């Protein structure tokens, strides 16, 4: 719940003052969204948790909207989110180094093993990620991958997803 931004602070700023600044900025940024947050099917806390995953998973405003759509489509049918960013959070190693064994780690943050959201945010989401949860892109997608160039490829079915993996990741 600390807003990621560029802050210009004096050298004499204490850790407590920095915390206060970042947390109050978070609240200020959320204030205009409160009505839309209240109207969403997810709670404010759940919105922030999901936005924290999207912040780590997606790399553009457009991909944030579509990744949000995919993850919310999965939540709707109680399908595991299977977000690599949650595994990265557990292990503190880059996505490029994740192994199939990593996906079996017992943790409430392992979105491969457990349905629903992890218990807390996995990072500090920015405003675009938060807004992408409140108003995701409309899609029937349940899968996505990112190719070596950071381009996202989406699929509605597992068969389409496997074809995307074969086409873009092999």
């Amino acid at each position: 719940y600390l807003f990621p931004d560029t802050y210009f602070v004096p050298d004499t700023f204490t850790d407590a003052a920095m915390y206060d600044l970042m947390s109050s900025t978070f609240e200020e940024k959320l204030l205009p969204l409160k009505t839309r947050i209240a109207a969403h099917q997810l709670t404010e806390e759940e919105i922030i948790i999901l936005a924290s995953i999207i912040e780590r998973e997606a790399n553009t405003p457009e991909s944030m909207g579509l990744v949000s759509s995919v993850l919310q489509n999965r939540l709707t049918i109680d399908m595991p989110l299977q977000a690599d960013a949650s595994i990265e959070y557990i292990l503190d190693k880059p996505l490029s180094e994740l192994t199939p064994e990593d996906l079996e780690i017992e943790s409430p943050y392992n979105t491969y093993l457990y349905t629903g959201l992890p218990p807390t945010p996995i990072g500090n989401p920015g405003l675009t990620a938060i807004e992408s949860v409140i108003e995701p892109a409309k899609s029937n997608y349940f899968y996505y991958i990112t190719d070596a160039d950071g381009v996202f490829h989406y699929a509605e079915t597992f068969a389409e997803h496997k074809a995307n993996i074969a086409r873009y990741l092999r």
Side-chain angles (χ1 to χ4, degrees), residues 133-145:
V133 175
I134 298 168
E135 209 167 306
K138 303 293 183 222
S139 82
N140 294 319
Y141 296 136
F142 283 89
Y143 303 92
Y144 64 90
I145 60 165

Side-chain angles (χ1 to χ4, degrees), residues 66 69-70 73 137-143 154-157 160:
L66 281 164
S69 177
V70 168
N73 288 344
K138 303 293 183 222
S139 82
N140 294 319
Y141 296 136
F142 283 89
Y143 303 92
Y154 304 92
E156 293 182 20
T157 68
E160 291 171 358

Side-chain angles (χ1 to χ4, degrees), residues 30-31 64 68 74 108 112 144:
L30 238 55
L31 195 57
M64 285 184 180
S68 179
R74 285 176 169 228
Y112 279 83
Y144 64 90

Side-chain angles (χ1 to χ4, degrees), residues 9-11 17 19 24 27 31 36 40 44 49 52-53 60 74 79-80 82 91 97-98 100 114 136 141 155 163:
V9 297
D11 291 340
Y19 173 83
S24 65
E27 287 303 318
L31 195 57
R36 291 168 55 207
H40 201 277
E44 182 175 318
I49 292 169
S52 75
I53 294 170
T60 65
R74 285 176 169 228
M79 180 180 180
Q82 298 180 327
L91 298 176
E97 295 178 16
L98 294 182
Y114 297 101
Y141 296 136

Side-chain angles (χ1 to χ4, degrees), residues 40-42 46 50 67-81 115-117 133 136-142:
H40 201 277
Q41 73 257 12
L42 298 175
E46 290 169 332
L50 185 55
V67 167
S68 179
S69 177
V70 168
L71 298 179
Q72 290 188 62
N73 288 344
R74 285 176 169 228
L75 285 171
T76 299
I77 64 166
D78 207 29
M79 180 180 180
L81 297 180
T115 59
L117 296 167
V133 175
K138 303 293 183 222
S139 82
N140 294 319
Y141 296 136
F142 283 89

Side-chain angles (χ1 to χ4, degrees), residues 121-137:
I122 63 168
N124 298 310
L127 202 52
T128 303
I130 295 167
E131 289 177 329
S132 79
V133 175
I134 298 168
E135 209 167 306

Side-chain angles (χ1 to χ4, degrees), residues 17-29:
M18 190 71 212
Y19 173 83
D20 289 344
L21 175 61
M22 292 178 77
S23 61
S24 65
T25 302
F26 183 87
E27 287 303 318
E28 288 171 23
K29 297 287 186 177

